[in-house]
Amino acid sequence: MSRIVEFITGRRSWIVALLGLLLGGLIVGGIGQAERSPSPLDSLPAGFDGTEGQALLDELPDEGTQSAIVLFTVEDDQIADRLPDLAAVLEEVAPDGAEPPEGQGGEGQGPPPGVENGNDEGGQSGPPPGVGDTAYPIIPADDGTAAFSVLVLDAPTASDARDAVAELRTGLRDAVPDDVTVQVTGPAAISADLASVFDGADITLLAVTASVVAVLLIITYRSPILWVIPLAVVGLGDQVAATIATHVLKTFGVAWDESTFGILSVLVFGAATNYALLLISRYRDELRRRESRHEAMGIALRRAAEAIVASASTVIVGVLCLLLSVFPTTRGLGLACAVGILVAMTMGLIVLPAVLVLFGRWIFWPKVPRQGEQGLADSRSIWRRIGDLVAARPWAWIAGVTVLLAAMSVGLSQYRTGLAPEDQFLDTPEAITAAQRLGESFPAGASDPLVVVTRTDDEAVLGELAETIAEIDGVDQATPVAPHAGIGQVQVVLDAEPGSEASQDAVREVRAAVSGSDTYVTGGDASAVDEDEGSVRDRWVIMPLVLALIFGTLVLLLRSVVAPLVLVVTTVATSCAALGISWWLFTGVFGFAAIDSSMPLLSFLFLVALGVDYNIFLITRTLEEAGEHGTRDGVLRALGATGGVITSAGVLLAAVFAVLGVLPLVVLAQIGVVICIGVLLDTLIVRTVLTPAIVRVLGETFWWPRKVDGRQVGKHREEAVEKIAT
């Protein structure tokens, strides 16, 4: 270990710095990120009914298509008079490869979903008025104010859907008469608008994140120069992490989506900057004791490494638990984040110290540390004064903070998960507003019907299935589609609004009615039901495992049982408080009707894994100080020494996760808010008050069964320092 530290921080540190920077540049510029091969199943929970149905649909020859609904509306009630002109517009502007859905275009296989059949008995007596024999039949509403047509677009990926829908929207707006309003909705348009959320998102997110980090580093260091070095190293680490992560994910066949690397970038920036703050704080402190910057950095690196490795280990163990998720993209997020933290740790322990030690003390200008100045542990900083207040009445502080966290956690009892389609965006896109307008003139579920899919070549079987479904309460229409390639479908339009409880109840009733071998119910509302159930399953499986593994990791690293238990319990309490208080913010301030079903798990995971970091920074320094001053006094000295850097790190991490709000997806905004609140609670209350109070009460018992012998620890510490110095 000593030889490694000496090589990184010694006279030949320029070699390490040069190799690290060149290797990072080669990875980013020479290798580049791997290309993604998305699948419609990536975001669906594996093994669930809707996912199996989608997999069956993907076996059809038209795999890779998505339906778009073109909605025409007018102010008067004379839409029927405009149908011929609108049909001509559709034929003119339809993108290459677009087709009418099976069952339209004069095939006589039944009307499109949402349109009643031509007789009261459910038979196929002919298309309704307005369908005709045009390439893209247009269906008028009974109220005369709206009409729609369905186009099947060749769009195997979200990016393809975005391009095709954008082309369609532009062409339609340029071609329709002035008194007609045209909008595009349906699955293809929703997919396109989701993809558009991430147009330029990588650049925007990186720019905002880097700006936030730069400002906070300048405030922290109060230096016009020093902040550039950690920001440059962390920025390179972010790009290296993204590059390596894509290749690791592709190698192991793990799916990812556009949001994966937004979260990864925020995590890497936050964690790597925290490691940099801790290292530089120790380096500055050691420069007050030693003349040689190489000796100072060597000792700082050795002492900071234990906290950084422990911190990174808990985060890596935590995020790897996501590999047990039923959602492929969530598994991808977990693996990508593990790679990102590993890269962040490597940059913080190897590249950053090697680069920093190349410069003299002047890099800290104007607050240049001088040999002989008082160290942080011996100072009477505001954090040490807070520690003294806590030490005077530790039980009172423990009781007060516990009551506060419990009160904040009450909001957990009010949680309601599951966002309707219109609630998933901070800024409502056209696909959602068009679907809402479609529901005013047609059945509410017409914009995104359920699909009952089964293996059969028998049209009679599909007819009987449709009749059974049509009798279910909440079903407006069930339309069989002629079987193709041994796969048959029934398009089911519900009365209820998409995403509502009534629509989810209807999905469950349809599934109960058609349950059988190779028969599945898929579509938007069906997938939403599966996602909620899959998220519940993930929470019950992954959350306990995260706690158990992080606890086990801390036991191994600290060689203690009581200390890890205290760290995990206090961090869980903070997470519950952050999730609870966030509910009142979401509903009372931001106006969210519910929370995304994936948010509790991801927020809890990141809060527990990252929140433990600040306690680790404090406790590892406490262990170091306890060797000479005992545990009770050691925690106060540790608080005085680490208070400033941990507070800076916590504020920075909270601000960085809040940056997720620049992306107009509600789920990312919710994750950002919860983690921001939780990190601030952890930094300012738990680490500052609760943990020191508990350590003061427990004393040496805090390390049980480990024995902390002041003389032995002090002796080993001095031997290690002397070895590095020489």
Side-chain angles (χ1 to χ4, degrees):
M1 178 65 179
S2 297
R3 290 184 178 180
I4 296 175
V5 170
E6 181 183 355
F7 183 68
I8 294 173
T9 63
R11 302 292 177 182
R12 292 173 292 180
S13 61
W14 65 270
I15 299 176
V16 179
L18 181 62
L19 288 177
L21 297 175
L22 286 177
L23 181 60
L26 179 63
I27 291 173
V28 175
I31 299 177
Q33 296 186 15
E35 292 187 2
R36 186 167 68 100
S37 301
S39 163
L41 305 181
D42 287 348
S43 60
L44 301 178
F48 282 69
D49 193 80
T51 308
E52 296 297 322
Q54 183 61 52
L56 193 56
L57 289 174
D58 286 350
E59 296 180 16
L60 291 170
D62 62 348
E63 177 186 357
T65 62
Q66 298 187 60
S67 297
I69 297 177
V70 180
L71 175 66
F72 302 99
T73 56
V74 294
E75 294 295 329
D76 55 31
D77 58 357
Q78 303 299 317
I79 192 73
D81 296 338
R82 299 172 174 83
L83 293 183
D85 292 337
L86 298 179
V89 167
L90 275 178
E91 292 188 35
E92 177 185 348
V93 306
D96 293 340
E99 299 177 351
E102 195 166 348
Q104 290 192 35
E107 296 295 329
Q109 295 174 1
V115 180
E116 296 295 337
N117 288 326
N119 60 45
D120 294 335
E121 304 301 324
Q124 307 287 339
S125 64
V131 172
D133 292 325
T134 60
Y136 302 101
I138 302 179
I139 315 303
D142 291 340
D143 61 13
T145 65
F148 78 88
S149 183
V150 181
L151 283 70
V152 179
L153 304 180
D154 182 14
T157 69
S159 297
D160 294 329
R162 177 194 59 203
D163 296 340
V165 169
E167 178 186 349
L168 179 60
R169 284 171 171 164
T170 300
L172 287 169
R173 286 171 184 146
D174 291 342
V176 296
D178 293 338
D179 60 343
V180 176
T181 300
V182 62
Q183 295 175 291
V184 180
T185 184
I190 293 175
S191 178
D193 288 341
L194 274 171
S196 296
V197 166
F198 294 95
D199 281 345
D202 290 344
I203 296 175
T204 301
L205 196 64
L206 181 61
V208 175
T209 303
S211 300
V212 168
V213 171
V215 170
L216 291 175
L217 286 177
I218 292 172
I219 294 172
T220 299
Y221 294 133
R222 286 170 282 180
S223 168
I225 306 169
L226 178 59
W227 65 274
V228 176
I229 296 175
L231 181 62
V233 172
V234 170
L236 177 62
D238 169 67
Q239 296 302 303
V240 170
T243 301
I244 295 177
T246 58
H247 288 279
V248 171
L249 291 170
K250 189 163 187 176
T251 298
F252 289 97
V254 182
W256 73 91
D257 60 18
E258 291 87 349
S259 67
T260 300
F261 292 95
I263 296 175
L264 174 64
S265 183
V266 166
L267 180 64
V268 170
F269 257 94
T273 308
N274 279 357
Y275 303 155
L277 286 169
L278 182 64
L279 176 68
I280 293 173
S281 176
R282 292 306 302 258
Y283 179 41
R284 186 202 294 266
D285 218 21
E286 293 302 327
L287 284 173
R288 296 188 177 105
R289 301 177 181 179
R290 291 167 177 81
E291 180 64 30
S292 170
R293 68 178 186 273
H294 297 284
E295 291 179 11
M297 178 58 82
I299 296 169
L301 178 58
R302 186 182 184 93
R303 291 176 177 171
E306 182 179 2
I308 292 174
V309 170
S311 167
S313 299
T314 58
V315 179
I316 290 173
V317 167
V319 296
L320 284 178
C321 291
L322 291 178
L323 291 174
L324 297 178
S325 172
V326 296
F327 295 90
T329 51
T330 301
R331 296 197 290 269
L333 176 63
L335 185 54
C337 287
V339 171
I341 293 297
L342 188 60
V343 171
M345 181 181 69
T346 303
M347 300 297 284
L349 292 178
I350 298 177
V351 180
L352 180 60
V355 173
L356 275 173
V357 82
L358 296 178
F359 302 89
R361 295 171 184 264
W362 61 266
I363 197 71
F364 290 92
W365 185 88
K367 298 194 66 174
V368 179
R370 302 296 182 187
Q371 187 177 10
E373 291 179 349
Q374 187 180 51
L376 290 174
D378 298 313
S379 67
R380 293 294 300 171
S381 67
I382 184 174
W383 309 108
R384 177 56 189 263
R385 292 196 292 271
I386 292 174
D388 289 340
L389 290 174
V390 172
R393 301 183 64 188
W395 279 112
W397 287 100
I398 292 172
V401 173
T402 301
V403 170
L404 174 64
L405 296 178
M408 296 177 70
S409 302
V410 170
L412 284 172
S413 64
Q414 307 298 313
Y415 258 42
R416 187 168 73 85
T417 60
L419 290 171
E422 64 270 17
D423 296 328
Q424 294 178 3
F425 300 87
L426 294 176
D427 300 317
T428 307
E430 178 179 316
I432 301 302
T433 57
Q436 293 170 334
R437 177 61 184 87
L438 184 70
E440 295 175 9
S441 298
F442 295 93
S447 63
D448 190 9
L450 298 180
V451 180
V452 178
V453 56
T454 185
R455 289 193 183 276
T456 184
D457 284 317
D458 192 341
E459 293 190 26
V461 170
L462 293 178
E464 293 175 1
L465 197 59
E467 290 179 4
T468 299
I469 297 170
E471 295 175 358
I472 298 173
D473 290 339
V475 172
D476 180 82
Q477 181 188 359
T479 305
V481 177
H484 186 54
I487 298 174
Q489 305 174 52
V490 177
Q491 301 277 336
V492 181
V493 176
L494 303 178
D495 290 324
E497 291 284 344
S500 65
E501 292 184 9
S503 69
Q504 294 184 3
D505 291 340
V507 168
R508 295 184 181 96
E509 291 188 24
V510 170
R511 282 178 168 168
V514 303
S515 61
S517 177
D518 284 338
T519 300
Y520 309 99
V521 180
T522 188
D525 282 316
S527 294
V529 171
D530 292 341
E531 288 168 11
D532 283 347
E533 294 178 356
S535 296
V536 171
R537 177 266 179 199
D538 277 0
R539 290 198 289 272
W540 282 106
V541 171
I542 295 176
M543 283 182 174
L545 182 62
V546 167
L547 296 178
L549 290 179
I550 289 180
F551 174 75
T553 301
L554 291 175
V555 168
L556 293 175
L557 293 171
L558 297 177
R559 289 174 288 163
S560 168
V561 173
V562 175
L565 184 62
V566 170
L567 300 188
V568 170
V569 169
T570 54
T571 304
V572 169
T574 307
S575 303
C576 292
L579 287 164
I581 199 67
S582 295
W583 171 256
W584 305 115
L585 287 175
F586 293 152
T587 56
V589 178
F590 298 115
F592 298 147
I595 61 170
D596 187 86
S597 57
S598 66
M599 188 278 285
L601 172 63
L602 296 179
S603 297
F604 179 85
L605 170 64
F606 287 124
L607 277 177
V608 170
L610 294 171
V612 168
D613 285 3
Y614 303 114
N615 275 327
I616 287 175
F617 294 166
L618 174 67
I619 294 306
T620 52
R621 185 59 181 262
T622 300
L623 181 60
E624 180 182 327
E625 297 292 339
E628 294 182 7
H629 304 281
T631 298
R632 287 188 170 89
D633 288 339
V635 74
L636 300 183
R637 292 176 60 83
L639 183 60
T642 63
V645 65
I646 293 178
T647 299
S648 299
V651 171
L652 187 144
L653 186 64
V656 165
F657 267 95
V659 169
L660 285 174
V662 304
L663 301 176
L665 279 184
V666 168
V667 59
L668 296 181
Q670 290 180 340
I671 291 173
V673 167
V674 173
I675 295 178
C676 178
I677 293 173
V679 168
L680 291 177
L681 285 174
D682 236 327
T683 304
L684 301 177
I685 296 179
V686 173
R687 181 271 314 178
T688 305
V689 176
L690 184 58
T691 301
I694 294 173
V695 175
R696 288 285 300 185
V697 168
L698 294 176
E700 306 304 321
T701 306
F702 181 74
W703 307 110
W704 187 88
R706 182 175 185 173
K707 300 292 185 181
V708 178
D709 186 320
R711 290 170 299 176
Q712 286 298 107
V713 174
K715 178 183 176 182
H716 293 323
R717 176 175 177 269
E718 291 305 321
E719 289 176 352
V721 170
E722 183 64 25
K723 190 172 183 180
I724 293 174
T726 57

